[in-house]
Structure formats: C-alpha cells, structure tokens
C-alpha cells in the first residue's frame, strides 16, 4: 500500500524533481519577493510566472498560484519551448483548483498531469488519490470506487 504525502509543500517538493532546475544566480525576480500583484504580471517571463506561482503554492496562497499558472498557460501555452513549464505547473494547478472546490476543473488538470511521463511515482500516487476525491465530488461514484481500488 502506498502512502502519499497529503501536504501542499510535500507535493510541491516532489513535483520539483520533475522540473528543470534554475541555474545558480538565474532565479527570477519573483522568487526574491512575494508573488507580484495582479497588475504587476504583464511583463513577467514564462520562468518568472512559473516561479511566482510556485512560490505562492509553497506559501499555500493557492489563489495567487492558480492565477500565475493560468496566466502562464494563457500567455505562453502555444510556445513549444515553454511546454516543460506548463507541464510542471499542471499538478500544482490541479491542487489549486481542488483547494477552491472546483473539482471538475481539478479533475481535468489531474488527468493531464497523470499523462506526464516525467511525473514522479509519489506525485502520481498523490494525484491518483485526489482524482478519486474529485470523482466523488462530481457525483461519479462508481469511477471513484475504481480509482481508489487502483490506488490501494
């Protein structure tokens, strides 16, 4: 039986293992301060938006994290070179949607994240558990039972 961590910071740490690391001295400005306000994000690069979302996620400011990850996808989702960042934010974006009770939206993000080949086994297990919760919350009881059966 697998026991996945149930804490946002633990999930974030697990997900970081699947993402490209920032070179020393190249951390974006967003990592040096609190996540920028809504009016201050228009000029952020994809890496800065990702880092701002990740910083907010780690601080459990899920509304800000969700906004940064959504902006990253909206502004840069069509660029192939940004695909690793988009893929990397999907699991955290799913958790943000869960935190605000948007279970159908979270389910969509979880399903997309579970297709990522670089997702760690621990993160995959965590998301599979939350997929079952989303299915229950959206009224899909039988698929939820099957999901939990696959988890445990």
């Amino acid at each position: 039986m697998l026991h996945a961590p149930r804490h946002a910071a633990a999930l974030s740490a697990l997900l970081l293992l699947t993402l490209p690391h920032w070179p020393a001295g190249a951390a974006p400005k967003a990592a040096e301060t609190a996540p920028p306000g809504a009016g201050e994000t228009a000029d952020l690069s994809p890496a800065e938006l990702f880092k701002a979302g990740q910083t907010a996620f780690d601080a459990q400011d899920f509304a800000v994290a969700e906004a940064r990850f959504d902006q990253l996808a909206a502004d840069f989702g069509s660029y192939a070179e940004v695909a690793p960042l988009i893929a990397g934010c999907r699991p955290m974006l799913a958790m943000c949607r869960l935190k605000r009770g948007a279970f159908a939206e979270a389910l969509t993000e979880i399903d997309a994240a579970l297709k990522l080949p670089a997702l760690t086994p621990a993160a995959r297990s965590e998301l599979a558990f939350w997929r079952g919760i989303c299915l229950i919350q959206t009224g899909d009881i039988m698929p939820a039972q099957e999901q939990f059966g696959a988890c445990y």
Side-chain angles (χ1 to χ4, degrees), residues 11-59:
L11 178 61
S12 180
L14 291 170
L15 296 172
L16 286 177
L17 298 175
T18 68
L19 302 175
H21 296 281
W22 308 111
K29 294 174 280 202
E32 299 169 1
T33 62
E40 302 171 2
T41 60
D43 295 331
L44 294 181
S45 71
E48 290 171 325
L49 280 169
F50 179 85
K51 191 64 176 173
Q54 181 182 19
T55 299
F57 185 87
D58 290 344

Side-chain angles (χ1 to χ4, degrees), residues 34-114:
E40 302 171 2
T41 60
D43 295 331
L44 294 181
S45 71
E48 290 171 325
L49 280 169
F50 179 85
K51 191 64 176 173
Q54 181 182 19
T55 299
F57 185 87
D58 290 344
Q60 297 187 15
D61 189 347
F62 300 112
V64 171
E66 183 175 10
R68 297 306 164 263
F69 294 142
D70 280 339
Q71 184 179 354
L72 174 64
D75 292 354
F76 301 102
S78 62
Y79 297 96
E81 55 273 2
V82 182
L85 293 177
I86 301 292
C89 77
R90 281 206 183 277
M92 290 183 282
L93 185 54
M95 296 306 291
C96 291
R97 298 206 197 296
L98 274 166
K99 291 292 184 176
R100 81 171 157 84
F103 298 105
E105 292 175 34
L107 187 58
T108 300
E109 292 297 334
I110 289 170
D111 287 343
L114 288 172

Side-chain angles (χ1 to χ4, degrees), residues 112-145:
L114 288 172
K115 293 177 184 173
L116 300 171
L119 195 64
T120 66
R124 188 172 303 284
S125 177
E126 175 82 5
L127 289 172
F129 169 81
W130 286 110
R131 185 175 190 280
I133 297 296
C134 289
L135 289 168
I136 288 172
Q137 292 295 324
T138 58
D140 292 329
I141 304 304
M142 292 305 292
Q145 288 177 338

